[in-house]
Amino acid sequence: MSEQGKGSAPASAAAAAPGSDTYKGWLFKWTNYLKGYQRRWFVLSNGLLSYYRTQAEMAHTCRGTINLATAHIDTEDACNIVLSSGGRTYHLKASTEVERQRWVTALELAKAKAIRMMNDQSDDSGDEEPTSQSDRSEIQGTLKILVSKLDDLSTCNDLIAKHGAALQRSLSELEGLKVPVEGGEKIKAVNERATLFRITSNAMINACRDFLDLAETHSRRWQRALQYEREQRIHLEETIEQLAKQHNSLERAWREAPTLVSTTPSAPTANKGGSERLHKEEASDEDENTEYFDAMEDSPEFITVTATENTQHRRSQSNLSGASGSQPNHWNQDDHMSPSCNDVLGKELQPRRQRRTHVPDKPNYSLNLWSIMKNCIGKELSKIPMPVNFNEPLSMLQRLTEDLEYHELLDKAARCDSSLEQMCLVAAFSVSSYSTTVHRTAKPFNPLLGETYELDRQEEFGYRSLCEQVSHHPPAAAHHVISQRGWTLWQEITIASKFRGKYLSIMPLGAIHLQFHSSGNHYVWRKVTSTVHNIIVGKLWIDQSGDIEIVNHRTKETCQLKFSPYSYFSRDVPRKVTGMVADSEGQAHYILSGTWDDKIESAKIIQSSRGGSGSEGKQKTVYQTLSPKLLWKKYPLPENAENMYYFSALALTLNEPEEGVGLTDSRLRPDQKLMEEGRWDEANSEKQRLEEKQRAVRRRREAEASDAVDEECDYDSGKEYEGYQPLWFHQRRDSVTGETNFVYNGGYWEAKERQDWSMCPNIF
């Protein structure tokens, strides 16, 4: 801070001088949440405020410039200055309040002068593009100053000529007088010098006029050259960005082209609008604000090669390539999947009721994100008071239920005779649960303690699902699904989330269990980390990254899935997922590939061999496979989905009113329902009421626990106080994983049949 004061002192002195057009000094500028305020060298000149990292950078690199003619100047506290112009905002800080006031005075004077200058030149600059107005204003201001100075010189020249003529007349009169010879010679010399002085001053004025004409001519040339270079730079940036997008699109189109020949009637059509490339954000004016992801260094340790019909078992080593390039076969591959897995579900019952296909459009409400987020850095997301503007009208329990969007994969897996083929379908199901998140950047409602959500699709699809919020801090939900088509799924998910300033990390904790009734195969896996980027500035986008290990605890077979994080510099397809299915001995049998927002394919391995070394010196295994087969493909989004929170067809029905549900069901939550109807102000008030009611219940429960501890100490009754107990789930140690988790008690569906909800607490 002392260095700033030293650097600013000369600038302050310059600003105090009347008519000074330049002000320089050190200020602290807000950069990002990692680096905070950074010391920068600021230069105020000709209505433009520019800044540099160091004074030496003034010769070659300007980090940013803001035009004061269109800027708004504000002061937050004793030492802060906020400058905003268009979409650009600078948060600055001075070392002292006095120094801040000097800068504010200089900025206000420069702004007033820039506005006057811009108004004077408005007729000439009306046809210019907005990007060149500041440059033109600066040039015209300079020319105006030069003209003013030239006028001053002309006035001085007239005065010199006038007084010079008078002086010559006086000298001529002196020559006519009778003076000594020596005095006459001196008078004559003075007269000659006065004449030379007048001639010189005239020459100086002419030279200044010539210089001004030359400056005007060259300024127009420089302005045209500058405008041309600016247009070329913008065109080059747009071309590079377009080439990058085309490269990714062409590469992905090349990979997906073989799937277009598929003739399977049951394969849903891809939604071209639902899997667009990631939108690139505009770069900020300073490179330290831009976050880049490095390309992945750990390339796959295996290479797949598709075998043709004539050469399935013999292939020259020189023909091995790094990717599966042949076209996938049709669905009726008898040598790929067993016939039982390929049976078409022909016995599905038709829906008995028409489900809704739309919700009210999302209102377009503005919100000052900075005022809410600046005090939330480093806090647990569940402890941050958030308005419904950041939410979508679904609870976390309903988002958990959305994992069943592609339940037919489990129906198909239940009919598989081969556990390895069954593993492929389970892996595809685990990936499919992320397909709904590609555009869903809004936050679901945090469920209240004891809140439940049921999804009864037994008549249509053969399954029943029940979720309950079993803990509030940390937030944890238990989920149980049973299907008449041969499988049961249960999970307990605890959400750990951290707001990091630029992005939000969501880390689901807990295992997902899936058991098939006929074979007894018991699969266990965990979810990957979700990351929401551009929380403060830019367009929100979500990414999935990490590894999933699926284990069949009965046969000890495994599946390793890798979710590759997005990288602008990577040559891979965005949102890429790769995997391998291996038996209990570790021998690979299937290769999985695809993207978590579109599709997953499997290819059966028929031969393996050791290949060449990779970039890190590791020897890779080359797998020769059959043509890949489509396991899962994302359903297209409903029409107008972009105005309905990007809900899928299933998500649109989750909050639909249902008769006979429990009194704690999420469909009955008032703030969530008000938000869905577009009444966000009322929803915010109702949300605050529900949260305060929940806090009051928690305080009362804590007081009861404290009283119970005191009574135990006084009477030594030996009876311990039982804290909150969920209504439909209880804790039990899992015999497979050894972990303690919540499992379904039973009784909910029986209570629904009796319509007896007397045991349900009043949480709404």
Side-chain angles (χ1 to χ4, degrees):
M1 299 295 284
S2 60
E3 293 180 359
Q4 177 193 358
K6 294 177 182 178
S8 299
S12 301
S20 176
D21 297 328
T22 303
Y23 194 99
K24 302 178 182 179
W26 292 102
L27 286 174
F28 286 87
K29 178 182 177 293
W30 176 260
T31 56
N32 54 47
Y33 287 98
L34 297 179
K35 297 184 179 180
Y37 283 95
Q38 295 293 317
R39 190 166 176 262
R40 296 289 181 262
W41 178 255
F42 280 82
V43 177
L44 173 60
S45 178
N46 297 320
L48 300 175
L49 179 66
S50 305
Y51 72 95
Y52 312 84
R53 285 188 177 177
T54 61
Q55 298 183 51
E57 277 194 347
M58 293 178 61
H60 54 84
T61 304
C62 178
R63 296 291 172 175
T65 301
I66 194 168
N67 186 8
L68 294 179
T70 59
H72 176 70
I73 304 173
D74 191 18
T75 54
E76 288 186 341
D77 53 30
C79 297
N80 283 37
I81 306 172
V82 179
L83 297 177
S84 57
S85 177
R88 181 177 301 176
T89 301
Y90 290 168
H91 294 266
L92 310 177
K93 181 183 291 185
S95 58
T96 63
E97 187 174 359
V98 175
E99 183 64 25
R100 192 281 304 268
Q101 190 56 45
R102 289 174 180 170
W103 273 102
V104 171
T105 302
L107 291 170
E108 292 289 358
L109 292 174
K111 178 181 178 181
K113 188 173 181 179
I115 292 175
R116 289 197 303 270
M117 195 178 300
M118 186 173 61
N119 292 336
D120 293 340
Q121 302 297 331
S122 59
D123 295 337
D124 298 332
S125 60
D127 297 333
E128 294 292 328
E129 295 185 0
T131 55
S132 63
Q133 288 180 357
S134 60
D135 299 322
R136 185 174 181 84
S137 177
E138 180 181 0
I139 294 173
Q140 295 296 340
T142 303
L143 293 176
K144 187 177 180 181
I145 294 173
L146 290 175
V147 171
S148 176
K149 299 301 181 183
L150 183 60
D151 292 340
D152 294 342
L153 289 173
S154 298
T155 303
C156 293
N157 179 65
D158 294 339
L159 293 174
I160 291 172
K162 179 180 177 181
H163 293 300
L167 179 61
Q168 286 181 342
R169 286 194 302 270
S170 300
L171 291 175
S172 298
E173 293 175 356
L174 286 175
E175 288 179 356
L177 299 177
K178 293 182 179 180
V179 294
V181 178
E182 184 179 352
E185 293 178 354
K186 289 185 177 180
I187 291 174
K188 186 177 181 179
V190 172
N191 192 10
E192 291 176 353
R193 290 180 180 178
T195 302
L196 290 174
F197 178 74
R198 185 181 61 182
I199 294 173
T200 304
S201 64
N202 288 333
M204 180 185 66
I205 293 298
N206 292 332
C208 290
R209 184 174 287 108
D210 293 340
F211 173 76
L212 180 60
D213 294 338
L214 185 63
E216 285 183 335
T217 303
H218 282 280
S219 68
R220 297 189 191 98
R221 186 180 305 165
W222 293 335
Q223 189 173 1
R224 288 194 299 268
L226 178 63
Q227 183 66 19
Y228 175 77
E229 293 296 333
R230 182 184 290 109
E231 292 174 354
Q232 290 297 104
R233 186 196 67 187
I234 295 174
H235 177 70
L236 181 60
E237 291 175 351
E238 293 176 349
T239 302
I240 292 175
E241 183 177 359
Q242 189 66 23
L243 286 174
K245 291 180 179 179
Q246 290 178 358
H247 173 78
N248 285 336
S249 300
L250 289 172
E251 187 177 47
R252 186 163 189 176
W254 175 78
R255 293 176 182 271
E256 295 180 355
T259 64
L260 298 178
V261 301
S262 177
T263 58
T264 305
S266 61
T269 305
N271 176 27
K272 297 181 181 179
S275 58
E276 293 291 337
R277 295 284 69 78
L278 209 60
H279 296 292
K280 303 296 181 299
E281 305 301 330
E282 295 182 358
S284 63
D285 60 340
E286 188 168 299
D287 52 0
E288 64 188 17
N289 292 339
T290 306
E291 181 178 354
Y292 298 97
F293 290 94
D294 294 331
M296 291 182 59
E297 296 293 337
D298 50 340
S299 57
E301 297 183 357
F302 58 86
I303 300 174
T304 59
V305 180
T306 306
T308 61
E309 295 181 359
N310 297 329
T311 60
Q312 283 192 359
H313 300 288
R314 292 186 179 180
R315 194 172 189 83
S316 172
Q317 182 66 26
S318 61
N319 292 332
L320 295 179
S321 63
S324 178
S326 61
Q327 298 185 359
N329 292 342
H330 302 306
W331 279 84
N332 55 355
Q333 289 184 4
D334 295 335
D335 58 346
H336 194 150
M337 286 285 185
S338 60
S340 60
C341 288
N342 289 322
D343 289 342
V344 178
L345 290 176
K347 299 180 180 180
E348 287 189 355
L349 298 176
Q350 295 298 323
R352 293 189 176 183
R353 57 171 291 185
Q354 185 68 30
R355 304 286 178 181
R356 69 179 185 181
T357 58
H358 69 278
V359 296
D361 287 358
K362 178 181 179 181
N364 187 18
Y365 287 140
S366 61
L367 184 67
N368 187 356
L369 182 63
W370 168 248
S371 63
I372 297 173
M373 289 296 186
K374 63 182 180 180
N375 296 322
C376 301
I377 302 173
K379 293 184 179 179
E380 186 75 22
L381 184 64
S382 60
K383 298 182 180 179
I384 297 176
M386 289 287 186
V388 299
N389 304 58
F390 296 102
N391 289 70
E392 61 179 16
L394 290 177
S395 74
M396 190 63 202
L397 301 181
Q398 291 166 310
R399 285 292 292 267
L400 201 59
T401 306
E402 281 191 70
D403 287 357
L404 302 174
E405 177 96 22
Y406 299 93
H407 60 88
E408 63 272 9
L409 290 172
L410 300 184
D411 297 342
K412 187 176 181 181
R415 301 191 307 274
C416 280
D417 296 329
S418 169
S419 58
L420 291 172
E421 296 171 0
Q422 189 178 74
M423 175 71 83
C424 293
L425 292 167
V426 173
F429 174 79
S430 69
V431 175
S432 69
S433 62
Y434 297 99
S435 63
T436 61
T437 66
V438 63
H439 299 296
R440 302 271 293 280
T441 55
K443 174 182 177 291
F445 279 79
N446 286 333
L448 303 174
L449 186 62
E451 185 175 335
T452 60
Y453 181 75
E454 69 159 72
L455 187 67
D456 190 352
R457 294 289 192 268
Q458 183 167 299
E459 293 182 354
E460 293 123 309
F461 304 115
Y463 70 84
R464 279 177 165 178
S465 168
L466 176 65
C467 293
E468 181 179 5
Q469 187 76 0
V470 296
S471 173
H472 190 64
H473 287 301
H479 185 203
H480 182 269
V481 190
I482 186 168
S483 172
Q484 293 178 338
R485 298 177 181 173
W487 54 270
T488 300
L489 182 144
W490 67 97
Q491 59 179 319
E492 177 195 338
I493 298 297
T494 300
I495 301 296
S497 52
K498 284 292 183 180
F499 177 53
R500 308 289 186 180
K502 284 189 176 182
Y503 60 91
L504 176 70
S505 296
I506 303 172
M507 297 152 286
L509 308 176
I512 304 173
H513 296 256
L514 173 65
Q515 188 168 24
F516 291 98
H517 303 165
S518 59
S519 63
N521 289 334
H522 187 167
Y523 297 89
V524 179
W525 70 92
R526 301 175 189 273
K527 290 181 175 288
V528 296
T529 299
S530 302
T531 306
V532 183
H533 295 272
N534 295 339
I535 293 293
I536 297 296
V537 179
K539 181 179 176 62
L540 292 175
W541 60 278
I542 195 167
D543 193 22
Q544 315 289 349
S545 59
D547 299 328
I548 291 181
E549 182 183 34
I550 307 176
V551 180
N552 184 344
H553 284 273
R554 189 185 72 86
T555 64
K556 306 306 179 184
E557 295 163 348
T558 61
C559 175
Q560 302 289 339
L561 292 174
K562 181 177 182 59
F563 288 65
S564 301
Y566 175 80
S567 172
Y568 182 81
F569 302 100
S570 175
R571 300 175 61 183
D572 288 334
V573 177
R575 310 181 185 100
K576 181 180 179 181
V577 179
T578 56
M580 179 190 300
V581 176
D583 59 20
S584 58
E585 303 296 328
Q587 182 177 354
H589 289 264
Y590 288 92
I591 297 296
L592 305 179
S593 62
T595 58
W596 53 264
D597 68 323
D598 188 19
K599 65 177 182 179
I600 291 293
E601 296 176 339
S602 69
K604 186 174 183 179
I605 299 172
I606 58 175
Q607 188 176 353
S608 63
S609 61
R610 305 303 293 180
S613 299
S615 58
E616 299 180 356
K618 298 180 180 179
Q619 192 176 28
K620 295 187 176 183
T621 303
V622 178
Y623 293 114
Q624 191 174 3
T625 67
L626 297 176
S627 298
K629 176 178 179 178
L630 186 67
L631 294 177
W632 160 77
K633 192 168 185 64
K634 180 185 176 182
Y635 294 148
L637 288 175
E639 185 179 358
N640 195 37
E642 64 276 6
N643 295 322
M644 298 187 297
Y645 310 91
Y646 286 100
F647 281 174
S648 64
L650 174 62
L652 289 173
T653 67
L654 293 181
N655 217 32
E656 186 177 10
E658 192 93 18
E659 294 183 0
V661 299
L663 302 181
T664 55
D665 196 272
S666 299
R667 298 178 180 87
L668 306 178
R669 181 166 174 165
D671 55 347
Q672 186 173 300
K673 192 65 178 175
L674 288 170
M675 182 193 176
E676 182 181 271
E677 295 172 356
R679 300 153 62 185
W680 284 17
D681 292 335
E682 299 175 59
N684 278 320
S685 301
E686 193 65 22
K687 182 173 183 287
Q688 188 174 359
R689 181 190 69 82
L690 290 174
E691 291 175 350
E692 184 57 38
K693 179 179 180 180
Q694 181 173 238
R695 283 190 286 268
V697 172
R698 186 176 70 250
R699 288 193 294 268
R700 184 170 66 250
R701 189 179 297 114
E702 291 173 351
E704 292 175 355
S706 178
D707 294 342
V709 171
D710 294 340
E711 292 179 3
E712 182 181 349
C713 295
D714 293 340
Y715 301 102
D716 194 18
S717 61
K719 182 179 179 180
E720 296 183 0
Y721 174 78
E722 291 187 1
Y724 174 79
Q725 296 297 324
L727 193 58
W728 309 109
F729 290 82
H730 70 281
Q731 275 191 320
R732 184 189 70 183
R733 181 173 294 277
D734 188 86
S735 59
V736 174
T737 62
E739 299 176 349
T740 301
N741 53 13
F742 282 90
V743 295
Y744 180 50
N745 286 333
Y748 178 87
W749 304 107
E750 292 77 6
K752 181 181 180 181
E753 186 177 350
R754 300 191 308 269
Q755 281 300 294
D756 178 14
W757 303 115
S758 58
M759 73 292 292
C760 293
N762 180 15
I763 62 174
F764 299 139

